[in-house]
Amino acid sequence: MKEIDATNQACPAPVLITKQTIEGECPDTLKVIVDNEAACQNVTRFFRSKDYEAEVESCEQGYIVIGVKSGAELQPAQKEDSDQHREKKIMVMLTTDRMGHGDDTLGGKLIVNFVNTLREMEPDLWRVVLVNNGVRLAVEGSDVLPALQQLEKHGVGVLVCGTCLDHYGLLDQKKVGDTTNMLDIVTAMQLSDQVINI
């Protein structure tokens, strides 16, 4: 069994090291040791996207994520096929929990109105990515949580930065979307026809 020690590595290094190992060596079983929950979730999701079964165990350093090669088709591949039927792929990146500068109360109301109106962009809306203070929109108590959950239910990918959640101490409060990393975000930007930054 191949083993990688990805402790003390900042995002997205644990996923990048895992990716390089899978692409370079194609191991049947790969064990990745990480020291935080965000890295654990990111590596687990990456394994599943690459047709590996993923299991997580606790250890002294944090977590051990074990990926075992599987022959089954996984959902990410199926989702990719459905994406091809879209005319356009628009990605919306939300970097804050309010819109614009000036009055924070007004900015909070505007971001609520904006997120609640995003469904008007369907079927072209492909991804909503939450980074920095924007991750607060995906946690318990957020005014836009129901709207984001509806978007996800309608097939829009919601990606929430794991490093940002960890920074704000919100990892366990996330209620929508996939915990993600910078590799996923950059890849999504590459695949998008249009990126809207807020």
Side-chain angles (χ1 to χ4, degrees), residues 52-197:
Y52 279 72
E53 300 287 335
E55 291 183 9
V56 177
E57 299 173 1
S58 295
C59 68
E60 192 176 320
Q61 298 98 318
Y63 303 92
I64 299 171
V65 187
I66 301 170
V68 180
K69 186 74 172 159
S70 155
E73 284 294 319
L74 296 180
Q75 273 193 336
Q78 294 167 358
K79 197 166 186 181
E80 213 172 277
D81 291 340
S82 69
D83 287 339
Q84 291 172 3
H85 298 295
R86 297 180 187 271
E87 289 182 14
K88 192 174 183 181
K89 288 182 180 179
I90 297 175
M91 176 178 135
V92 175
M93 184 178 287
L94 301 173
T95 62
T96 180
D97 62 351
R98 60 198 43 131
M99 183 179 265
H101 301 282
D103 187 287
D104 285 347
T105 303
L106 174 60
K109 290 177 182 175
L110 292 175
I111 201 73
V112 169
N113 291 342
F114 179 78
V115 175
N116 285 335
T117 311
L118 279 176
R119 289 224 20 220
E120 298 302 314
M121 294 175 68
E122 292 180 339
D124 295 333
L125 183 61
W126 177 60
R127 291 278 187 273
V128 175
V129 179
L130 309 176
V131 299
N132 205 331
N133 206 36
V135 300
R136 294 183 186 280
L137 299 171
V139 303
E140 199 171 339
S142 162
D143 290 335
V144 300
L145 187 57
L148 290 173
Q149 289 170 332
Q150 276 296 109
L151 287 171
E152 189 173 48
K153 199 177 287 185
H154 282 86
V156 176
V158 178
L159 304 179
V160 187
C161 170
T163 300
C164 307
L165 286 167
D166 192 42
H167 175 80
Y168 291 114
L170 297 171
L171 262 173
D172 59 343
Q173 295 178 47
K174 178 178 72 73
K175 296 297 180 186
V176 66
D178 292 318
T179 303
T180 193
N181 58 73
M182 207 50 71
L183 175 63
D184 285 346
I185 294 169
V186 169
T187 301
M189 291 175 87
Q190 272 186 306
L191 295 173
S192 299
D193 297 305
Q194 182 180 357
V195 179
I196 298 171
N197 289 295

Side-chain angles (χ1 to χ4, degrees), residues 18-36:
T18 304
K19 178 178 184 286
Q20 290 164 359
T21 303
I22 288 174
E23 290 177 352
E25 302 177 32
C26 299
D28 288 333
T29 305
L30 179 59
K31 180 193 287 187
V32 184
I33 304 169
V34 296
D35 58 10
N36 64 81

